[in-house]
Amino acid sequence: MTTRILIIGGGPGGYEAALVAAQLGADVTVVERDGPGGACVLTDCVPSKTLIATSTRMAVVSESAGLGLRFNGGPDGIVGGLEVDLPTVNKRVKDLARAQSFDVAERLAYEEVKIIRGEARLVEPHVVAVGDRHLRADVILLATGATPRVLPGSEPDGERILNWRQLYDLPELPKELIVVGSGVTGAELAGAYLSLGSKVTLVSSRDRILPTEDADAAAVLQEVFLRRGMNVMSRSRAAGVERDGDSVVVSLEDGRKVRGSHCLMTVGMEPNTRGIGLEKSGVKLSARGFVEVDKVSRTSVPHIYASGDCTGILMLASVAGMQGRIAMWHALGEAVQPLKLGWVSSNIFTDPEVASVGVTQVMVDSGDVNARTVMLPLFSNARAKMQGFEDGFVKLFCRPSTGIVLGGVIVAPRASELILGVSVAVQQHLTVDQVAHTFAVYPSLSGSITEASRRLMTEHAY
């Protein structure tokens, strides 16, 4: 008998699961409110990284004078510099998002996955309602995602007070952008709009930006932001935001006020788990409303699984996809390896990028992990010198006794590409001497990874 699988949500946690289940012979239906790819493709990850790609290109050109390049004009008659045509930028962002959504839809159709547009809710343990339709399933996967958190009294209006899903409808570049929140999303978008030409103030409630990331990496990035003209307000907690005509005013808890033309709120995410019948079906939620799952994505109800941002476990598209795949492998009786968070690599798409995998400096400093560490500044790399890259480093951790690579942090242009080598070393339990004896292209930024491994071999005998 064919297993009937119903997936609520068409983002990475949903469509990746659907592909696995279909390939294993299940009858798969995906219910999605916004379109194939979900918020990740249509409003969040894909649009923001497309915008950031444009801003990074802008930064490269604007900082190219040190390489001997001078911009004297172009086909549009611009002299002395570049201008940002924000409507064109935003059109490209949205067109690319729609194209990516279409690609996801085509792939699902090829695997004969059925897609229903609408909002779903559980009405019985094995029954999901979509409007007037009632769909019965043997296995249900919750991949409902999350929504930008709203501070009470500071609700976005889509014009001056914005969440990141509303940025791509702006008719012109914000002159004075205040970004509230200095986590990953806040840092990425603050850096992007700074490079595009906005005057940016970043309001951080903590003593530095990226408070949960590697401190050395955060220090490099904050120094870059300050050098490029960003106003970083540390230890400044926002109490509220209000409009004042064509301006916004951000009130801080200490009584100070910050005025700008626009305010971008990046104060976290809330799971999309309310009002869809989870509690009545016996699905256990955390105090913050996230779906509780085990390492094979099962909820408290045996036939109901969950993946992605609604679980609150590392809000990354790669993790959502892996959770969804693991859920289907487990539900359909395939051999499966539980989710291992220590193998997850992540990247912050600032300029320079910040990528990491495995153990952290905090774990080493606290004594939770015994590790040797080496950190090579990027300016010592020949390729970095050639390309004018001065900010960044490569950091590696290894076990003192065996030399097994435990993790690493890379701050560099395209760190998201460079981290793969470290991720392979962590997952495959390679030693620093094995990495050191691997050929790297010369000159290349990846050569700093093998060089760091050689330093760990010679400076820290094991």
Side-chain angles (χ1 to χ4, degrees), residues 12-13 16 297 307 316-329 336-340 344:
E16 292 284 358
S297 304
S307 62
L316 300 172
S318 59
V319 173
M322 183 60 75
Q323 285 180 296
R325 291 190 289 269
I326 288 173
M328 294 301 97
W329 286 325
V336 62
Q337 189 171 50
L339 181 67
K340 292 193 175 182
V344 175

Side-chain angles (χ1 to χ4, degrees), residues 12-78:
Y15 73 76
E16 292 284 358
L19 293 173
V20 167
Q23 289 161 4
L24 292 174
D27 180 350
V28 186
T29 299
V30 174
V31 180
E32 167 57 39
R33 177 180 57 190
D34 301 318
C40 173
V41 169
L42 292 168
T43 61
D44 293 357
C45 185
V46 170
S48 66
K49 276 48 177 181
T50 305
L51 176 78
I52 289 166
T54 299
S55 71
T56 301
R57 189 74 61 88
M58 185 84 166
V60 169
V61 174
S62 64
E63 296 178 353
S64 61
L67 301 180
L69 301 179
R70 182 180 301 167
F71 187 78
N72 288 320
D76 297 323
I78 301 169

Side-chain angles (χ1 to χ4, degrees), residues 41-42 93-106:
V41 169
L42 292 168
V93 166
K94 291 188 280 191
D95 286 349
L96 195 150
R98 284 191 289 266
Q100 186 67 18
S101 178
F102 179 78
D103 289 346
V104 172
E106 276 203 324

Side-chain angles (χ1 to χ4, degrees), residues 26 80 97 108 167 196 248 253-254 260 266 293 326-327 331 356 384 436:
L108 291 172
L167 289 170
L196 290 175
V248 294
E253 288 188 349
D254 61 8
T266 63
V293 293
I326 288 173
S356 59

Side-chain angles (χ1 to χ4, degrees), residues 6 31 116-121 128-135:
L6 194 142
V31 180
I116 298 176
R117 189 73 172 265
E119 296 193 17
R121 67 187 189 281
V128 171
V130 184
D132 295 332
R133 299 178 62 180
H134 284 65
L135 308 172

Side-chain angles (χ1 to χ4, degrees), residues 73-309:
D76 297 323
I78 301 169
V79 179
L82 294 177
E83 290 183 353
V84 175
D85 180 357
L86 193 66
T88 299
V89 171
N90 287 342
K91 181 180 184 301
R92 178 176 180 268
V93 166
K94 291 188 280 191
D95 286 349
L96 195 150
R98 284 191 289 266
Q100 186 67 18
S101 178
F102 179 78
D103 289 346
V104 172
E106 276 203 324
R107 180 69 195 284
L108 291 172
Y110 178 80
E111 298 293 346
E112 298 183 350
V113 173
K114 295 181 286 293
I115 302 176
I116 298 176
R117 189 73 172 265
E119 296 193 17
R121 67 187 189 281
L122 276 72
V123 292
E124 294 180 22
H126 283 273
V127 178
V128 171
V130 184
D132 295 332
R133 299 178 62 180
H134 284 65
L135 308 172
R136 182 169 292 275
D138 302 306
V139 175
I140 295 171
L141 173 67
L142 307 170
T144 54
T147 301
R149 178 171 166 256
V150 176
L151 291 181
S154 304
E155 290 77 10
D157 60 14
E159 295 178 354
R160 296 286 172 176
I161 303 173
L162 309 156
N163 64 42
W164 59 86
R165 293 178 178 175
Q166 299 168 328
L167 289 170
Y168 313 111
D169 293 320
L170 289 176
E172 58 184 10
L173 191 71
K175 291 182 179 179
E176 298 176 317
L177 178 64
I178 304 169
V179 179
V180 175
S182 61
V184 171
T185 302
E188 287 182 343
L189 292 172
Y193 280 94
L194 181 70
S195 294
L196 290 175
S198 296
K199 181 180 179 181
V200 177
T201 296
L202 182 59
V203 177
S204 173
S205 63
R206 308 288 280 276
D207 59 354
R208 61 174 172 86
I209 66 171
L210 300 175
T212 63
E213 305 297 326
D214 182 90
D216 293 320
V220 169
L221 193 61
Q222 183 156 323
E223 182 180 339
V224 170
F225 282 173
L226 292 172
R227 188 176 70 232
R228 292 177 178 171
M230 186 183 295
N231 177 24
V232 179
M233 301 182 65
S234 302
R235 295 183 292 277
S236 302
R237 185 177 294 277
V241 186
E242 59 184 13
R243 284 191 62 164
D244 182 12
D246 289 337
S247 301
V248 294
V249 178
V250 177
S251 300
L252 306 181
E253 288 188 349
D254 61 8
R256 290 177 295 164
K257 295 184 183 297
V258 186
R259 181 177 291 272
S261 64
H262 298 76
C263 179
L264 172 62
M265 304 295 292
T266 63
V267 290
M269 300 281 280
E270 293 183 346
N272 297 328
T273 55
R274 295 179 181 175
I276 59 174
L278 299 188
E279 296 90 338
K280 291 182 179 179
S281 298
V283 176
K284 188 175 181 181
L285 304 178
S286 71
R288 295 175 57 198
F290 291 99
V291 181
E292 295 188 357
V293 293
D294 61 17
K295 291 187 180 297
V296 292
S297 304
R298 286 179 302 191
T299 71
S300 52
V301 180
H303 71 280
I304 300 179
Y305 294 74
S307 62
D309 289 358

